[in-house]
Amino acid sequence: MTGSAPRFGFVAGEASGDLLASLLLQGLRARWPGLTSQGIGGPKMIAQGFETWWPHSKLSIFGYVDALMNLRELLSIRRQLGTRLISSRPDVFIGVDAPDFNFGLETRLREAGIKTVHFVCPSIWAWRPERIVKIKAAADHVLCLFPFEPEILRQADIGATYVGHPLADAIPMEVPRVAARAALMLPEDDTVIALLPGSRRSEINYIAPALIGAARLLARPGRRFVIPIVPGLRALVEPLLGGVDIQLVDGQSHAALAACDLTLVASGTATLEAALFKRPMVVAYRMNALNWWRMKGRGLLPWVSLPNILARDFLVPELIQQDCTPENLAREAEGLLADAPRRAVLHERFIQLHELLRQDTARRASDAIATLIGA
């Protein structure tokens, strides 16, 4: 480390990784204002002064089929990136999620004497527990989002720290509903339903038609629908609307969640965001049939969405694969909209979850990283 200005290598794939890494970078910069950071990232990281060598969109794939179709390019990028990082020798490399890409890179960097941190423990407690062997080879330290994860890793002699979830710090306990509706030009008195089909092209292809079909069934006077679109994917969504009156907004998923009364949401980080915004939800997911066949039966838990996993209960309905139909989604949504006591229970459970995960993640993470590099 040069003086008080450490250098960080980063890889963050997809919109969720870009968001997590940008929040971590805020905390690191508060501790080390002169830091530099380089690697693979997205626009939110760039706004924090990150130098991107490849855009995070290069890693925005899902499942075995997508990975095989893009394997040659992904391996080439990883090889080039590893060579460049070994040459520049950052004080620490931080791989944000994307384990299938990052573990191989982290292992190579670690063997070259570069300290490695993996931010977001893979869901070894949910499926693919054998990945703990790869984690041990790849990471000097793991920053864990959930409180039960460090003990699992320590049993395998892997250094780990519970840092909470940065989204729990970033999202206010009291949701700014009125301001969000004003920002999106949504009427104050209408029922607003947010549709969040995901940030990957494959998710738009497989999930968005079911969500939009459900909106068609749910539509009536006094109801409004909004879809926050990841930049670059609007052209995929617009042809699916088929005359349904749905407002598309570029980005602004947090504004949509703050403004809505209920969300139909693809399983993933967005379900946790919806819980932190204390919004009742119906969780949806579909994928390529081959991917589903390979994943089916390998899960260790009966739940797939983060709110249910953390609560260890079916707090919110999950409609996966063949169950993810417009009719099923609309039925579950109508049930939630009609059941005020159930929504009140969800609100209280989501407050408890928010309090559990709000741990000043950036400070805890920077403390762990400082200890690792002796700064």
Side-chain angles (χ1 to χ4, degrees):
M1 187 170 73
T2 304
S4 59
R7 292 177 298 114
F8 294 93
F10 267 90
V11 167
E14 308 179 12
S16 60
D18 180 39
L19 174 60
L20 290 175
S22 69
L23 295 171
L24 176 57
L25 274 169
Q26 286 182 25
L28 295 173
R29 193 169 294 283
R31 189 184 192 105
W32 297 295
L35 70 80
T36 57
S37 56
Q38 303 161 319
I40 296 178
K44 289 183 171 61
M45 296 171 69
I46 293 171
Q48 294 297 319
F50 180 75
E51 179 186 345
T52 181
W53 294 341
W54 284 272
H56 75 315
S57 59
K58 291 292 185 181
L59 307 187
S60 296
I61 61 175
F62 180 74
Y64 301 100
V65 174
D66 285 352
L68 286 172
M69 291 175 62
N70 294 276
L71 183 60
R72 179 173 295 183
E73 182 182 21
L74 289 171
L75 291 176
S76 176
I77 291 172
R78 188 167 69 177
R79 183 171 58 253
Q80 294 177 64
L81 176 60
T83 299
R84 193 166 178 180
L85 287 168
I86 289 170
S87 176
S88 63
R89 303 201 68 80
D91 295 289
V92 64
F93 172 81
I94 304 173
V96 182
D97 210 0
D100 292 328
F101 184 94
N102 276 325
F103 283 163
L105 176 61
E106 290 166 13
T107 300
R108 182 184 173 192
L109 297 178
R110 196 178 183 200
E111 290 172 349
I114 296 172
K115 295 290 187 182
T116 60
V117 170
H118 195 78
F119 183 31
V120 182
C121 177
S123 304
I124 52 176
W125 33 265
W127 79 301
R128 292 178 66 185
E130 71 277 4
R131 285 190 293 181
I132 200 163
V133 176
K134 292 185 177 181
I135 301 172
K136 189 170 184 177
D140 287 296
H141 205 82
V142 180
L143 303 177
C144 300
L145 302 183
F146 305 125
F148 55 84
E149 294 174 326
E151 182 56 32
I152 297 173
L153 295 173
R154 290 188 192 114
Q155 289 175 6
D157 198 27
I158 300 170
T161 301
Y162 170 52
V163 297
H165 203 297
L167 287 171
D169 296 318
I171 295 172
M173 292 294 293
E174 294 294 329
V175 178
R177 179 180 182 274
V178 173
R181 290 205 172 193
L184 297 177
M185 294 182 289
L186 292 167
E188 174 59 28
D189 296 330
D190 282 1
T191 297
V192 175
I193 300 174
L195 312 179
L196 277 71
S199 60
R200 303 181 181 104
R201 289 179 177 270
S202 61
E203 290 172 328
I204 298 299
N205 291 333
Y206 285 102
I207 302 170
L211 301 192
I212 293 168
R216 188 175 289 109
L217 296 173
L218 290 165
R220 63 203 62 199
R223 287 184 179 173
R224 301 288 294 269
F225 300 90
V226 59
I227 301 180
I229 300 296
V230 173
L233 297 184
R234 177 181 281 262
L236 291 179
V237 175
E238 287 178 334
L240 302 175
L241 299 182
V244 186
D245 186 11
I246 300 178
Q247 179 179 337
L248 301 184
V249 295
D250 292 322
Q252 303 186 76
S253 60
H254 283 190
L257 286 171
C260 77
D261 296 288
L262 177 141
T263 179
L264 307 181
V265 55
S267 181
T269 302
T271 63
L272 181 62
E273 293 174 294
L276 294 173
F277 276 103
K278 293 86 180 176
R279 292 303 182 243
M281 72 190 83
V282 181
V283 177
Y285 215 79
R286 291 181 64 91
M287 63 181 71
N288 175 280
L290 176 59
N291 290 337
W292 174 248
W293 178 79
R294 293 194 58 139
M295 293 177 66
K296 188 178 180 181
R298 300 182 71 185
L300 304 177
L301 298 175
W303 317 282
V304 300
S305 64
L306 286 169
N308 287 347
I309 288 169
L310 291 168
R312 305 193 69 79
D313 190 9
F314 279 104
L315 281 185
V316 299
E318 299 177 346
L319 297 171
I320 310 301
Q321 206 61 9
Q322 69 271 13
D323 294 328
C324 182
T325 66
E327 293 77 15
N328 288 344
L329 290 164
R331 184 186 66 252
E332 294 288 354
E334 289 285 14
L336 279 168
L337 290 171
D339 194 339
R342 184 181 175 192
R343 295 198 308 274
V345 169
L346 285 175
H347 189 270
E348 290 303 312
R349 295 292 294 273
F350 291 157
I351 288 175
Q352 294 169 11
L353 176 61
H354 201 155
E355 291 171 342
L356 173 69
L357 298 180
R358 177 171 274 192
Q359 297 290 326
D360 193 355
T361 297
R363 180 187 59 78
R364 281 179 173 245
S366 66
D367 286 348
I369 292 168
T371 299
L372 180 66
I373 64 177

